Amino acid sequence: TLDLDYLVYFRQASRRQSIELRVTGGSHICFLCPLELTDTQITDFFRAKADWIHSKLLLNEKRAETPVPKFKHGSCWLYRGRTVSLELSLSSNSVVLDSDRLGVQTKKMSTHDLRKLLKAWLVREAETLLTNRTQHFASCLGIEPSQIQLRQYRAMWGQCNSCREIAYDWRIIMAPDPVIDYLVIHELCHLAHFDHSSDFWRLVGPLQPTYTESKAWLRSNAHWIKQTLERY
């Protein structure tokens, strides 16, 4: 009976106290709400959220247009925001970056071996870069982390804890350098402010005035990057 512009997976529950609206990666719109909400209230809520829903659906369309890189000769990958072409050959295991070409030599031309070799190289590259950028911005801020770790997160890009340990998702090495710097600055600033208060953003801003663009890049590209090499 609801006059909505979208197909909605809808559920009302007597014990629910709040409204929850989600747009999934598959563009399913899920709506949960208290039982006492009327049809008119629900319709008004969706009209107020129309722009937000539309933006999420458009983002899903954009994500679908960006394929996950393939392990085949000539496929395109991202390294520090640059598009590089994968060049495969049989030889002793090695990975060499030469301008816009990423040469991967392996003893066995199997997807498993290619994944393993390429991931190991990307992790080493990420470790070197993230360590150097962390030291640089830590000096700028006068903040010193106790440890730097590389991990692989499902949703996050990094985190820090009360022990002043910082961890990054190594796959950030695929992002442009300003985005990588933003992640480093973000986590370091959390050592001073464990929240996203105005004080936190005032600390971030001077080191990267265009941080909103980096945040937008991550929102647009996180989906396919997180699927890259996800099995390893």
Side-chain angles (χ1 to χ4, degrees):
T1 62
L2 298 177
D3 181 21
L4 302 178
D5 296 328
Y6 313 96
L7 175 64
V8 177
Y9 294 84
F10 178 86
R11 188 173 73 185
Q12 287 182 287
S14 58
R15 294 185 179 181
R16 174 166 282 276
Q17 302 297 315
S18 60
I19 294 174
E20 180 181 347
L21 176 63
R22 291 184 286 112
V23 179
T24 70
S27 292
H28 296 134
I29 302 170
C30 304
F31 180 72
L32 294 82
C33 70
L35 191 62
E36 60 267 20
L37 251 65
T38 66
D39 288 358
T40 299
Q41 288 174 316
I42 294 170
T43 301
D44 289 344
F45 176 84
F46 271 89
R47 286 173 179 163
K49 290 290 186 179
D51 288 345
W52 180 84
I53 294 172
H54 184 62
S55 69
K56 292 295 184 181
L57 294 175
L58 285 178
L59 181 59
N60 283 343
E61 289 179 11
K62 183 177 180 181
R63 286 171 173 172
E65 294 171 357
T66 307
V68 176
K70 298 182 182 298
F71 292 90
K72 66 179 185 179
H73 190 80
S75 63
C76 293
W77 286 66
L78 276 188
Y79 173 77
R80 294 177 66 176
R82 304 189 339 250
T83 300
V84 294
S85 176
L86 199 64
E87 294 193 350
L88 306 179
S89 59
L90 283 170
S91 187
S92 56
N93 292 344
S94 68
V95 179
V96 178
L97 179 64
D98 179 16
S99 185
D100 61 349
R101 294 173 297 178
L102 186 60
V104 179
Q105 296 181 340
T106 179
K107 296 177 181 178
K108 296 180 181 179
M109 199 61 68
S110 69
T111 300
H112 174 82
D113 290 308
L114 289 171
R115 283 180 184 272
K116 186 176 181 180
L117 185 61
L118 190 53
K119 181 199 170 178
W121 182 80
L122 288 169
V123 169
R124 288 195 299 271
E125 292 290 302
E127 183 175 25
T128 299
L129 180 62
L130 288 167
T131 299
N132 289 339
R133 299 311 286 164
T134 300
Q135 291 172 348
H136 169 74
F137 287 114
S139 177
C140 294
L141 290 164
I143 294 173
E144 189 67 32
S146 62
Q147 188 176 7
I148 302 169
Q149 299 175 327
L150 296 189
R151 295 180 181 173
Q152 186 163 312
Y153 296 112
R154 186 183 65 84
M156 300 185 301
W157 284 106
Q159 70 170 359
C160 65
N161 58 33
S162 57
C163 296
R164 307 184 69 79
E165 298 169 334
I166 287 181
Y168 304 111
D169 189 324
W170 61 268
R171 290 171 293 186
I172 196 68
I173 195 67
M174 300 180 196
D177 284 355
V179 178
I180 296 172
D181 282 351
Y182 164 68
L183 175 62
V184 172
I185 294 166
H186 188 111
E187 296 308 325
L188 282 172
C189 288
H190 272 316
L191 296 180
H193 302 285
F194 281 95
D195 54 28
H196 290 106
S197 63
S198 56
D199 289 335
F200 170 80
W201 292 114
R202 276 195 291 268
L203 199 58
V204 171
L207 291 175
Q208 197 188 60
T210 59
Y211 68 83
T212 54
E213 297 175 9
S214 295
K215 290 172 65 177
W217 193 95
L218 286 174
R219 282 195 300 270
S220 297
N221 293 279
H223 181 71
W224 71 264
I225 290 179
K226 291 292 187 179
Q227 293 183 66
T228 303
L229 297 158
E230 65 179 350
R231 297 180 186 176
Y232 294 87

